[in-house]
PDB file of all heavy atoms in Angstrom:
ATOM      1  N   ASP B 233       0.217 -10.565   1.769  1.00 91.00           N
ATOM      2  CA  ASP B 233       1.350 -11.481   1.600  1.00 91.00           C
ATOM      3  C   ASP B 233       0.891 -12.918   1.835  1.00 91.00           C
ATOM      4  O   ASP B 233       1.157 -13.823   1.038  1.00 91.00           O
ATOM      5  CB  ASP B 233       2.459 -11.086   2.593  1.00 91.00           C
ATOM      6  CG  ASP B 233       3.691 -11.970   2.475  1.00 91.00           C
ATOM      7  OD1 ASP B 233       3.963 -12.479   1.367  1.00 91.00           O
ATOM      8  OD2 ASP B 233       4.391 -12.151   3.488  1.00 91.00           O
ATOM      9  N   ILE B 234       0.167 -13.117   2.919  1.00 90.00           N
ATOM     10  CA  ILE B 234      -0.351 -14.454   3.230  1.00 90.00           C
ATOM     11  C   ILE B 234      -1.343 -14.902   2.163  1.00 90.00           C
ATOM     12  O   ILE B 234      -1.326 -16.054   1.707  1.00 90.00           O
ATOM     13  CB  ILE B 234      -1.017 -14.442   4.626  1.00 90.00           C
ATOM     14  CG1 ILE B 234       0.054 -14.310   5.717  1.00 90.00           C
ATOM     15  CG2 ILE B 234      -1.843 -15.698   4.839  1.00 90.00           C
ATOM     16  CD1 ILE B 234      -0.509 -14.060   7.102  1.00 90.00           C
ATOM     17  N   GLU B 235      -2.197 -13.977   1.732  1.00 92.00           N
ATOM     18  CA  GLU B 235      -3.226 -14.357   0.763  1.00 92.00           C
ATOM     19  C   GLU B 235      -2.651 -14.661  -0.610  1.00 92.00           C
ATOM     20  O   GLU B 235      -3.135 -15.549  -1.320  1.00 92.00           O
ATOM     21  CB  GLU B 235      -4.294 -13.262   0.690  1.00 92.00           C
ATOM     22  CG  GLU B 235      -5.197 -13.294   1.915  1.00 92.00           C
ATOM     23  CD  GLU B 235      -5.979 -12.024   2.121  1.00 92.00           C
ATOM     24  OE1 GLU B 235      -5.777 -11.059   1.361  1.00 92.00           O
ATOM     25  OE2 GLU B 235      -6.783 -11.996   3.052  1.00 92.00           O
ATOM     26  N   ALA B 236      -1.610 -13.929  -1.004  1.00 92.00           N
ATOM     27  CA  ALA B 236      -0.984 -14.222  -2.302  1.00 92.00           C
ATOM     28  C   ALA B 236      -0.373 -15.614  -2.268  1.00 92.00           C
ATOM     29  O   ALA B 236      -0.511 -16.401  -3.220  1.00 92.00           O
ATOM     30  CB  ALA B 236       0.075 -13.168  -2.629  1.00 92.00           C
ATOM     31  N   THR B 237       0.293 -15.935  -1.150  1.00 89.00           N
ATOM     32  CA  THR B 237       0.888 -17.261  -1.016  1.00 89.00           C
ATOM     33  C   THR B 237      -0.192 -18.340  -0.987  1.00 89.00           C
ATOM     34  O   THR B 237      -0.075 -19.386  -1.642  1.00 89.00           O
ATOM     35  CB  THR B 237       1.755 -17.334   0.261  1.00 89.00           C
ATOM     36  OG1 THR B 237       2.693 -16.260   0.243  1.00 89.00           O
ATOM     37  CG2 THR B 237       2.504 -18.653   0.350  1.00 89.00           C
ATOM     38  N   SER B 238      -1.262 -18.068  -0.228  1.00 89.00           N
ATOM     39  CA  SER B 238      -2.347 -19.041  -0.129  1.00 89.00           C
ATOM     40  C   SER B 238      -2.972 -19.295  -1.494  1.00 89.00           C
ATOM     41  O   SER B 238      -3.178 -20.448  -1.898  1.00 89.00           O
ATOM     42  CB  SER B 238      -3.429 -18.525   0.829  1.00 89.00           C
ATOM     43  OG  SER B 238      -2.919 -18.359   2.124  1.00 89.00           O
ATOM     44  N   ALA B 239      -3.287 -18.204  -2.205  1.00 92.00           N
ATOM     45  CA  ALA B 239      -3.943 -18.348  -3.515  1.00 92.00           C
ATOM     46  C   ALA B 239      -3.031 -19.097  -4.482  1.00 92.00           C
ATOM     47  O   ALA B 239      -3.476 -19.989  -5.224  1.00 92.00           O
ATOM     48  CB  ALA B 239      -4.308 -16.976  -4.081  1.00 92.00           C
ATOM     49  N   PHE B 240      -1.752 -18.758  -4.452  1.00 91.00           N
ATOM     50  CA  PHE B 240      -0.812 -19.443  -5.338  1.00 91.00           C
ATOM     51  C   PHE B 240      -0.740 -20.929  -4.997  1.00 91.00           C
ATOM     52  O   PHE B 240      -0.767 -21.795  -5.883  1.00 91.00           O
ATOM     53  CB  PHE B 240       0.567 -18.796  -5.237  1.00 91.00           C
ATOM     54  CG  PHE B 240       1.584 -19.414  -6.145  1.00 91.00           C
ATOM     55  CD1 PHE B 240       1.509 -19.236  -7.523  1.00 91.00           C
ATOM     56  CD2 PHE B 240       2.611 -20.192  -5.629  1.00 91.00           C
ATOM     57  CE1 PHE B 240       2.434 -19.826  -8.374  1.00 91.00           C
ATOM     58  CE2 PHE B 240       3.544 -20.783  -6.472  1.00 91.00           C
ATOM     59  CZ  PHE B 240       3.460 -20.599  -7.847  1.00 91.00           C
ATOM     60  N   ALA B 241      -0.695 -21.229  -3.707  1.00 87.00           N
ATOM     61  CA  ALA B 241      -0.611 -22.633  -3.284  1.00 87.00           C
ATOM     62  C   ALA B 241      -1.853 -23.413  -3.698  1.00 87.00           C
ATOM     63  O   ALA B 241      -1.800 -24.627  -3.895  1.00 87.00           O
ATOM     64  CB  ALA B 241      -0.424 -22.714  -1.761  1.00 87.00           C
ATOM     65  N   LEU B 242      -2.968 -22.710  -3.862  1.00 90.00           N
ATOM     66  CA  LEU B 242      -4.215 -23.374  -4.249  1.00 90.00           C
ATOM     67  C   LEU B 242      -4.264 -23.713  -5.735  1.00 90.00           C
ATOM     68  O   LEU B 242      -5.216 -24.355  -6.200  1.00 90.00           O
ATOM     69  CB  LEU B 242      -5.410 -22.499  -3.867  1.00 90.00           C
ATOM     70  CG  LEU B 242      -5.767 -22.537  -2.381  1.00 90.00           C
ATOM     71  CD1 LEU B 242      -6.652 -21.359  -2.003  1.00 90.00           C
ATOM     72  CD2 LEU B 242      -6.464 -23.854  -2.029  1.00 90.00           C
ATOM     73  N   GLY B 243      -3.267 -23.273  -6.488  1.00 91.00           N
ATOM     74  CA  GLY B 243      -3.183 -23.668  -7.892  1.00 91.00           C
ATOM     75  C   GLY B 243      -4.381 -23.208  -8.706  1.00 91.00           C
ATOM     76  O   GLY B 243      -4.705 -22.025  -8.744  1.00 91.00           O
ATOM     77  N   ARG B 244      -5.055 -24.151  -9.325  1.00 94.00           N
ATOM     78  CA  ARG B 244      -6.156 -23.798 -10.226  1.00 94.00           C
ATOM     79  C   ARG B 244      -7.328 -23.137  -9.509  1.00 94.00           C
ATOM     80  O   ARG B 244      -8.202 -22.566 -10.150  1.00 94.00           O
ATOM     81  CB  ARG B 244      -6.649 -25.054 -10.965  1.00 94.00           C
ATOM     82  CG  ARG B 244      -5.583 -25.657 -11.855  1.00 94.00           C
ATOM     83  CD  ARG B 244      -6.096 -26.768 -12.746  1.00 94.00           C
ATOM     84  NE  ARG B 244      -4.965 -27.426 -13.402  1.00 94.00           N
ATOM     85  CZ  ARG B 244      -4.311 -26.910 -14.442  1.00 94.00           C
ATOM     86  NH1 ARG B 244      -4.705 -25.755 -14.948  1.00 94.00           N
ATOM     87  NH2 ARG B 244      -3.287 -27.548 -14.963  1.00 94.00           N
ATOM     88  N   ASP B 245      -7.353 -23.228  -8.205  1.00 93.00           N
ATOM     89  CA  ASP B 245      -8.428 -22.572  -7.453  1.00 93.00           C
ATOM     90  C   ASP B 245      -8.090 -21.141  -7.068  1.00 93.00           C
ATOM     91  O   ASP B 245      -8.867 -20.478  -6.371  1.00 93.00           O
ATOM     92  CB  ASP B 245      -8.726 -23.359  -6.165  1.00 93.00           C
ATOM     93  CG  ASP B 245      -9.392 -24.681  -6.455  1.00 93.00           C
ATOM     94  OD1 ASP B 245     -10.152 -24.746  -7.440  1.00 93.00           O
ATOM     95  OD2 ASP B 245      -9.135 -25.649  -5.715  1.00 93.00           O
ATOM     96  N   ALA B 246      -6.936 -20.650  -7.516  1.00 94.00           N
ATOM     97  CA  ALA B 246      -6.435 -19.352  -7.033  1.00 94.00           C
ATOM     98  C   ALA B 246      -7.448 -18.224  -7.209  1.00 94.00           C
ATOM     99  O   ALA B 246      -7.782 -17.520  -6.240  1.00 94.00           O
ATOM    100  CB  ALA B 246      -5.127 -19.000  -7.744  1.00 94.00           C
TER     101      ALA B 246
END
Side-chain angles (χ1 to χ4, degrees):
Chain B
D233 181 29
I234 289 170
E235 285 162 356
T237 307
S238 298
F240 182 70
L242 282 163
R244 297 188 189 283
D245 290 327

